[in-house]
PDB file of all heavy atoms in Angstrom:
ATOM      1  N   GLY A  71     -45.634  41.008 -45.568  1.00 95.00           N
ATOM      2  CA  GLY A  71     -44.576  39.896 -45.277  1.00 95.00           C
ATOM      3  C   GLY A  71     -45.031  38.638 -45.788  1.00 95.00           C
ATOM      4  O   GLY A  71     -44.532  37.534 -45.433  1.00 95.00           O
ATOM      5  N   ILE A  72     -45.786  38.619 -46.890  1.00 97.00           N
ATOM      6  CA  ILE A  72     -46.347  37.316 -47.415  1.00 97.00           C
ATOM      7  C   ILE A  72     -45.131  36.392 -47.835  1.00 97.00           C
ATOM      8  O   ILE A  72     -45.303  35.162 -47.594  1.00 97.00           O
ATOM      9  CB  ILE A  72     -47.283  37.660 -48.641  1.00 97.00           C
ATOM     10  CG1 ILE A  72     -48.609  38.128 -48.107  1.00 97.00           C
ATOM     11  CG2 ILE A  72     -47.480  36.317 -49.556  1.00 97.00           C
ATOM     12  CD1 ILE A  72     -49.443  38.607 -49.239  1.00 97.00           C
ATOM     13  N   ASP A  73     -44.152  36.949 -48.433  1.00 96.00           N
ATOM     14  CA  ASP A  73     -43.015  36.223 -48.861  1.00 96.00           C
ATOM     15  C   ASP A  73     -42.326  35.408 -47.746  1.00 96.00           C
ATOM     16  O   ASP A  73     -41.589  34.459 -48.040  1.00 96.00           O
ATOM     17  CB  ASP A  73     -41.967  36.965 -49.683  1.00 96.00           C
ATOM     18  CG  ASP A  73     -42.628  37.587 -50.928  1.00 96.00           C
ATOM     19  OD1 ASP A  73     -43.360  36.888 -51.526  1.00 96.00           O
ATOM     20  OD2 ASP A  73     -42.328  38.720 -51.243  1.00 96.00           O
ATOM     21  N   GLU A  74     -42.419  35.866 -46.546  1.00 96.00           N
ATOM     22  CA  GLU A  74     -41.851  35.256 -45.417  1.00 96.00           C
ATOM     23  C   GLU A  74     -42.665  34.320 -44.543  1.00 96.00           C
ATOM     24  O   GLU A  74     -42.162  33.712 -43.552  1.00 96.00           O
ATOM     25  CB  GLU A  74     -41.145  36.384 -44.486  1.00 96.00           C
ATOM     26  CG  GLU A  74     -40.251  37.372 -45.248  1.00 96.00           C
ATOM     27  CD  GLU A  74     -39.139  36.726 -45.850  1.00 96.00           C
ATOM     28  OE1 GLU A  74     -38.573  35.802 -45.278  1.00 96.00           O
ATOM     29  OE2 GLU A  74     -38.833  37.170 -46.944  1.00 96.00           O
ATOM     30  N   LEU A  75     -43.869  34.286 -44.817  1.00 97.00           N
ATOM     31  CA  LEU A  75     -44.939  33.550 -44.014  1.00 97.00           C
ATOM     32  C   LEU A  75     -44.720  32.102 -44.287  1.00 97.00           C
ATOM     33  O   LEU A  75     -44.522  31.627 -45.437  1.00 97.00           O
ATOM     34  CB  LEU A  75     -46.348  33.947 -44.337  1.00 97.00           C
ATOM     35  CG  LEU A  75     -46.746  35.393 -43.920  1.00 97.00           C
ATOM     36  CD1 LEU A  75     -48.218  35.648 -44.461  1.00 97.00           C
ATOM     37  CD2 LEU A  75     -46.712  35.520 -42.435  1.00 97.00           C
ATOM     38  N   LYS A  76     -44.904  31.355 -43.181  1.00 97.00           N
ATOM     39  CA  LYS A  76     -44.779  29.890 -43.312  1.00 97.00           C
ATOM     40  C   LYS A  76     -46.302  29.220 -43.421  1.00 97.00           C
ATOM     41  O   LYS A  76     -46.350  28.067 -43.787  1.00 97.00           O
ATOM     42  CB  LYS A  76     -44.047  29.265 -42.076  1.00 97.00           C
ATOM     43  CG  LYS A  76     -42.707  29.784 -41.872  1.00 97.00           C
ATOM     44  CD  LYS A  76     -41.847  29.587 -43.083  1.00 97.00           C
ATOM     45  CE  LYS A  76     -40.421  30.098 -42.802  1.00 97.00           C
ATOM     46  NZ  LYS A  76     -39.528  30.017 -43.928  1.00 97.00           N
ATOM     47  N   GLY A  77     -47.146  29.943 -42.970  1.00 97.00           N
ATOM     48  CA  GLY A  77     -48.635  29.565 -43.064  1.00 97.00           C
ATOM     49  C   GLY A  77     -49.536  30.554 -42.890  1.00 97.00           C
ATOM     50  O   GLY A  77     -49.101  31.787 -42.614  1.00 97.00           O
ATOM     51  N   PRO A  78     -50.900  30.425 -43.222  1.00 98.00           N
ATOM     52  CA  PRO A  78     -51.781  31.545 -43.061  1.00 98.00           C
ATOM     53  C   PRO A  78     -51.982  32.088 -41.645  1.00 98.00           C
ATOM     54  O   PRO A  78     -51.952  31.238 -40.630  1.00 98.00           O
ATOM     55  CB  PRO A  78     -53.071  30.905 -43.574  1.00 98.00           C
ATOM     56  CG  PRO A  78     -52.704  29.722 -44.236  1.00 98.00           C
ATOM     57  CD  PRO A  78     -51.448  29.145 -43.570  1.00 98.00           C
ATOM     58  N   ARG A  79     -52.105  33.351 -41.460  1.00 97.00           N
ATOM     59  CA  ARG A  79     -52.434  33.972 -40.200  1.00 97.00           C
ATOM     60  C   ARG A  79     -53.028  35.324 -40.324  1.00 97.00           C
ATOM     61  O   ARG A  79     -52.832  35.992 -41.518  1.00 97.00           O
ATOM     62  CB  ARG A  79     -51.157  33.952 -39.286  1.00 97.00           C
ATOM     63  CG  ARG A  79     -50.069  34.838 -39.662  1.00 97.00           C
ATOM     64  CD  ARG A  79     -48.955  34.682 -38.697  1.00 97.00           C
ATOM     65  NE  ARG A  79     -47.734  35.493 -38.954  1.00 97.00           N
ATOM     66  CZ  ARG A  79     -47.605  36.671 -38.608  1.00 97.00           C
ATOM     67  NH1 ARG A  79     -48.513  37.370 -37.817  1.00 97.00           N
ATOM     68  NH2 ARG A  79     -46.564  37.378 -38.866  1.00 97.00           N
ATOM     69  N   LEU A  80     -53.589  35.851 -39.292  1.00 98.00           N
ATOM     70  CA  LEU A  80     -54.135  37.195 -39.291  1.00 98.00           C
ATOM     71  C   LEU A  80     -53.047  38.211 -39.052  1.00 98.00           C
ATOM     72  O   LEU A  80     -52.325  38.107 -38.057  1.00 98.00           O
ATOM     73  CB  LEU A  80     -55.123  37.415 -38.191  1.00 98.00           C
ATOM     74  CG  LEU A  80     -56.092  38.559 -38.204  1.00 98.00           C
ATOM     75  CD1 LEU A  80     -56.932  38.675 -39.432  1.00 98.00           C
ATOM     76  CD2 LEU A  80     -57.026  38.507 -37.025  1.00 98.00           C
ATOM     77  N   VAL A  81     -52.736  38.981 -40.047  1.00 98.00           N
ATOM     78  CA  VAL A  81     -51.533  39.763 -40.038  1.00 98.00           C
ATOM     79  C   VAL A  81     -51.678  41.247 -39.845  1.00 98.00           C
ATOM     80  O   VAL A  81     -50.812  42.074 -39.592  1.00 98.00           O
ATOM     81  CB  VAL A  81     -50.620  39.509 -41.328  1.00 98.00           C
ATOM     82  CG1 VAL A  81     -50.157  38.077 -41.369  1.00 98.00           C
ATOM     83  CG2 VAL A  81     -51.355  39.852 -42.491  1.00 98.00           C
ATOM     84  N   ALA A  82     -52.891  41.699 -40.217  1.00 98.00           N
ATOM     85  CA  ALA A  82     -53.073  43.202 -40.229  1.00 98.00           C
ATOM     86  C   ALA A  82     -54.505  43.589 -40.305  1.00 98.00           C
ATOM     87  O   ALA A  82     -55.424  42.627 -40.495  1.00 98.00           O
ATOM     88  CB  ALA A  82     -52.414  43.805 -41.509  1.00 98.00           C
ATOM     89  N   TRP A  83     -54.818  44.863 -40.083  1.00 98.00           N
ATOM     90  CA  TRP A  83     -56.155  45.340 -40.245  1.00 98.00           C
ATOM     91  C   TRP A  83     -56.225  46.771 -40.779  1.00 98.00           C
ATOM     92  O   TRP A  83     -55.262  47.501 -40.568  1.00 98.00           O
ATOM     93  CB  TRP A  83     -56.916  45.229 -38.900  1.00 98.00           C
ATOM     94  CG  TRP A  83     -56.406  46.022 -37.840  1.00 98.00           C
ATOM     95  CD1 TRP A  83     -55.388  45.876 -36.967  1.00 98.00           C
ATOM     96  CD2 TRP A  83     -57.099  47.173 -37.109  1.00 98.00           C
ATOM     97  NE1 TRP A  83     -55.241  46.723 -35.989  1.00 98.00           N
ATOM     98  CE2 TRP A  83     -56.319  47.525 -36.141  1.00 98.00           C
ATOM     99  CE3 TRP A  83     -58.323  47.838 -37.453  1.00 98.00           C
ATOM    100  CZ2 TRP A  83     -56.710  48.613 -35.285  1.00 98.00           C
ATOM    101  CZ3 TRP A  83     -58.619  48.901 -36.650  1.00 98.00           C
ATOM    102  CH2 TRP A  83     -57.845  49.289 -35.647  1.00 98.00           C
ATOM    103  N   ALA A  84     -57.239  47.159 -41.386  1.00 97.00           N
ATOM    104  CA  ALA A  84     -57.485  48.471 -41.981  1.00 97.00           C
ATOM    105  C   ALA A  84     -58.613  49.207 -41.223  1.00 97.00           C
ATOM    106  O   ALA A  84     -59.753  48.610 -41.102  1.00 97.00           O
ATOM    107  CB  ALA A  84     -57.664  48.403 -43.435  1.00 97.00           C
ATOM    108  N   ALA A  85     -58.406  50.501 -41.033  1.00 96.00           N
ATOM    109  CA  ALA A  85     -59.563  51.374 -40.578  1.00 96.00           C
ATOM    110  C   ALA A  85     -60.046  52.180 -41.629  1.00 96.00           C
ATOM    111  O   ALA A  85     -59.420  52.803 -42.509  1.00 96.00           O
ATOM    112  CB  ALA A  85     -58.991  52.310 -39.424  1.00 96.00           C
ATOM    113  N   GLY A  86     -61.420  52.140 -41.815  1.00 96.00           N
ATOM    114  CA  GLY A  86     -62.006  52.803 -42.903  1.00 96.00           C
ATOM    115  C   GLY A  86     -62.279  54.254 -42.489  1.00 96.00           C
ATOM    116  O   GLY A  86     -62.743  54.558 -41.386  1.00 96.00           O
ATOM    117  N   VAL A  87     -61.907  55.146 -43.423  1.00 95.00           N
ATOM    118  CA  VAL A  87     -62.051  56.670 -43.128  1.00 95.00           C
ATOM    119  C   VAL A  87     -62.697  57.329 -44.333  1.00 95.00           C
ATOM    120  O   VAL A  87     -62.596  56.951 -45.444  1.00 95.00           O
ATOM    121  CB  VAL A  87     -60.675  57.254 -42.767  1.00 95.00           C
ATOM    122  CG1 VAL A  87     -60.144  56.627 -41.524  1.00 95.00           C
ATOM    123  CG2 VAL A  87     -59.692  57.209 -43.939  1.00 95.00           C
ATOM    124  N   ASP A  88     -63.451  58.398 -44.014  1.00 94.00           N
ATOM    125  CA  ASP A  88     -63.958  59.306 -45.046  1.00 94.00           C
ATOM    126  C   ASP A  88     -63.062  60.187 -45.664  1.00 94.00           C
ATOM    127  O   ASP A  88     -63.063  60.714 -46.840  1.00 94.00           O
ATOM    128  CB  ASP A  88     -65.273  59.973 -44.531  1.00 94.00           C
ATOM    129  CG  ASP A  88     -66.292  59.121 -44.177  1.00 94.00           C
ATOM    130  OD1 ASP A  88     -66.465  57.998 -44.729  1.00 94.00           O
ATOM    131  OD2 ASP A  88     -66.984  59.345 -43.053  1.00 94.00           O
ATOM    132  N   ASP A  89     -62.141  60.706 -44.926  1.00 95.00           N
ATOM    133  CA  ASP A  89     -61.003  61.735 -45.308  1.00 95.00           C
ATOM    134  C   ASP A  89     -59.715  61.154 -44.855  1.00 95.00           C
ATOM    135  O   ASP A  89     -59.287  61.353 -43.737  1.00 95.00           O
ATOM    136  CB  ASP A  89     -61.359  63.058 -44.813  1.00 95.00           C
ATOM    137  CG  ASP A  89     -60.458  64.115 -45.232  1.00 95.00           C
ATOM    138  OD1 ASP A  89     -59.328  63.820 -45.628  1.00 95.00           O
ATOM    139  OD2 ASP A  89     -60.929  65.374 -45.223  1.00 95.00           O
ATOM    140  N   ILE A  90     -59.005  60.563 -45.767  1.00 95.00           N
ATOM    141  CA  ILE A  90     -57.723  59.913 -45.274  1.00 95.00           C
ATOM    142  C   ILE A  90     -56.705  60.831 -44.880  1.00 95.00           C
ATOM    143  O   ILE A  90     -55.854  60.588 -44.147  1.00 95.00           O
ATOM    144  CB  ILE A  90     -57.282  58.818 -46.403  1.00 95.00           C
ATOM    145  CG1 ILE A  90     -56.241  57.934 -45.750  1.00 95.00           C
ATOM    146  CG2 ILE A  90     -56.789  59.617 -47.602  1.00 95.00           C
ATOM    147  CD1 ILE A  90     -55.947  56.680 -46.731  1.00 95.00           C
ATOM    148  N   ASP A  91     -56.720  62.079 -45.625  1.00 94.00           N
ATOM    149  CA  ASP A  91     -55.601  63.038 -45.233  1.00 94.00           C
ATOM    150  C   ASP A  91     -55.907  63.546 -43.881  1.00 94.00           C
ATOM    151  O   ASP A  91     -54.884  63.724 -43.171  1.00 94.00           O
ATOM    152  CB  ASP A  91     -55.661  64.131 -46.391  1.00 94.00           C
ATOM    153  CG  ASP A  91     -55.396  63.595 -47.730  1.00 94.00           C
ATOM    154  OD1 ASP A  91     -54.299  63.085 -47.981  1.00 94.00           O
ATOM    155  OD2 ASP A  91     -56.246  63.780 -48.724  1.00 94.00           O
ATOM    156  N   ALA A  92     -57.095  63.770 -43.566  1.00 94.00           N
ATOM    157  CA  ALA A  92     -57.397  64.399 -42.221  1.00 94.00           C
ATOM    158  C   ALA A  92     -57.039  63.299 -41.139  1.00 94.00           C
ATOM    159  O   ALA A  92     -56.466  63.659 -40.112  1.00 94.00           O
ATOM    160  CB  ALA A  92     -58.815  64.909 -42.147  1.00 94.00           C
TER     161      ALA A  92
END
Side-chain angles (χ1 to χ4, degrees):
I72 285 172
D73 297 321
E74 307 301 323
L75 292 175
K76 304 302 182 185
R79 65 183 181 89
L80 193 60
V81 297
W83 64 287
V87 297
D88 295 325
D89 185 336
I90 196 167
D91 299 302

